[in-house]
Amino acid sequence: MPEVEVKEAERFMVESLVAAGAPLTEAKAHADLLLHADTVGHFSHGLNRLELYINDIQSGVCNGNAKPVILKETVATAWVDGCEGLGATVGNFCMNLAIEKARECGVGWVAVKRCNHYGMAGYWALKAEKEGLIGMSFTNSAAIMVPTRAKKSANGTNPIAMAAPATGGDSIVVDMATTTAAMGKVEVQICKGEPIPEGWALGPNGKTTTDPQVAFDTGRLLPLGGFEKTSGYKGFGLSAMVEVFCSGLSGSRATHNVPLWTYNQTEAPNLGQCFVAIDPGCFAPGFEERIADCLQHWRNMEPVDPSLPVLAPGDKEKNNAKATTARGTITYPQAQLDSYKRMAESIGVRPLEVYVQ
């Protein structure tokens, strides 16, 4: 597949967002969010999503100039109105606020309503981890998960993210959808022209499908764990927990009332999101050493396949980021580049340039 230099991908993202109406500062912040996803290998939440954000700004669903507002707060908590701003604008405001509160009293918990899509949940947890804190982040989404025993979708991918520091600059990072896979990963398979694994999604007949276009059009992802006999109710339960943290605390729409995120959306989603920072220094001493011990114990375990070493949560993304940095390029499907060439022409920006060795 074609390669694009990292700086070129960033240039294109920033210029596209500015052309759509976002201020340069917010365009850069949002491009950093998207670029992080592509750098660590989660292409579903990077360039793949850019056109949706562009459409949101152009249609008025997203206000690129919005500034979040604190509606209520205590020393450790805050309730925020995201004012339908860009995901990075709202995410940076809320996680910075949570970090500030955690430094002051040990814990910062921020719930925010009237949000748009905020990219990879793990990106926000990592903001706190880089400050020596435990970070957590959650968001609800449109209804694309089929609850256990149900025929139709009612829950979202509702991701869970947690990041915590360890000694030596190491860390543990958990970032996962509560569905078997995020819908963005289905979209990536469409671009690649490849099937999705069995057990990701249901077709219109209620049976599992491996056709990514059918899965996307039907919008019925299975919960983490799959069907009831393989403990899919656990994924359903985790999604419900995220709903409590997000729409429950913030007053946003519950997932089953959120409109689908589409290229012709005209209604703001009013998502609910949650940002948490915890200072481990308020608890037993030696936190980072204990986390480092766990990480090394897991990594040193004997693997079933010697060619596939045991990885700690977050290791795969770290390895991908190192490889991307060393290579200096990101690989994108040709179909995706073709699509963005058309978008670039429509908004008047220079198309992405493919790297030629």
Side-chain angles (χ1 to χ4, degrees):
M1 292 190 292
E3 295 180 53
V4 175
E5 288 186 315
V6 175
K7 290 184 178 179
E8 169 63 6
E10 182 181 27
R11 188 277 306 169
F12 180 72
M13 291 175 183
V14 172
E15 289 185 3
S16 296
L17 289 162
V18 169
L24 181 59
T25 54
E26 303 314 310
K28 286 182 176 180
H30 206 78
D32 188 69
L33 168 64
L34 301 183
L35 205 59
H36 169 79
D38 285 343
T39 300
V40 302
H42 286 283
F43 301 103
S44 55
H45 285 61
L47 179 68
N48 179 60
R49 293 296 197 197
L50 178 62
E51 189 170 3
L52 283 163
Y53 292 113
I54 299 298
N55 290 344
D56 283 353
I57 297 171
Q58 291 180 326
S59 68
V61 166
C62 172
N63 179 359
N65 294 285
K67 294 183 179 180
V69 176
I70 298 174
L71 301 174
K72 181 192 296 185
E73 69 177 322
T74 67
V75 67
T77 65
W79 175 37
V80 174
D81 184 345
C83 299
E84 298 169 357
L86 268 169
T89 301
V90 177
N92 279 315
F93 179 91
C94 291
M95 185 49 90
N96 287 340
L97 181 59
I99 289 170
E100 179 184 321
K101 290 180 178 297
R103 284 176 173 155
E104 182 178 352
C105 67
V107 176
W109 191 294
V110 179
V112 52
K113 66 175 182 176
R114 292 214 298 160
C115 302
N116 283 293
H117 196 281
Y118 77 163
M120 277 186 68
Y123 178 89
W124 303 111
L126 280 165
K127 278 185 68 70
E129 183 275 328
K130 291 172 184 174
E131 299 295 325
L133 307 170
I134 300 170
M136 294 191 291
S137 183
F138 315 89
T139 181
N140 68 357
S141 74
I144 52 176
M145 175 205 281
V146 179
T148 304
R149 299 188 180 184
K151 286 185 176 181
K152 295 183 179 180
S153 299
N155 285 58
T157 53
N158 291 19
I160 295 170
M162 185 282 301
T167 52
D170 205 350
S171 62
I172 178 172
V173 185
V174 176
D175 183 2
M176 62 182 196
T178 53
T179 47
T180 302
M183 186 59 83
K185 297 192 183 300
V186 175
E187 294 175 58
V188 170
Q189 294 305 100
I190 293 173
C191 288
K192 289 181 177 179
E194 298 175 1
I196 60 172
E198 187 80 28
W200 275 20
L202 302 179
N205 60 358
K207 306 293 184 181
T208 57
T209 180
T210 58
D211 185 324
Q213 191 63 59
V214 171
F216 180 80
D217 293 340
T218 306
R220 297 179 189 175
L221 298 178
L222 286 168
L224 188 64
F227 292 103
E228 185 171 4
K229 65 181 179 181
T230 53
S231 301
Y233 49 84
K234 294 180 181 179
F236 174 32
L238 289 171
S239 178
M241 179 190 75
V242 172
E243 197 67 50
V244 171
F245 293 159
C246 293
S247 67
L249 290 179
S250 76
S252 73
R253 281 177 169 160
T255 287
H256 57 271
N257 292 321
V258 174
L260 289 173
W261 198 22
T262 66
Y263 289 101
N264 54 6
Q265 187 169 340
T266 58
E267 183 182 3
N270 187 9
L271 297 176
Q273 292 166 357
C274 187
F275 301 83
V276 183
I278 302 168
D279 183 359
C282 294
F283 301 89
F287 173 82
E288 293 191 7
E289 289 78 9
R290 287 192 297 277
I291 300 305
D293 176 63
C294 288
L295 292 170
Q296 291 310 312
H297 179 78
W298 298 329
R299 291 165 179 155
N300 292 333
M301 295 182 72
E302 182 179 0
V304 174
D305 182 342
S307 68
L308 297 172
V310 178
L311 300 176
D315 281 358
K316 185 176 182 180
E317 289 75 15
K318 291 170 191 170
N319 293 340
N320 287 338
K322 288 178 183 177
T324 301
T325 301
R327 193 174 58 246
T329 61
I330 300 170
T331 301
Y332 295 113
Q334 184 61 53
Q336 193 172 47
L337 295 180
D338 292 342
S339 174
Y340 277 102
K341 182 178 180 181
R342 292 189 292 271
M343 187 201 79
E345 292 171 350
S346 71
I347 62 175
V349 301
R350 179 162 54 90
L352 276 165
E353 294 182 9
V354 173
Y355 174 68
V356 179
Q357 292 183 336

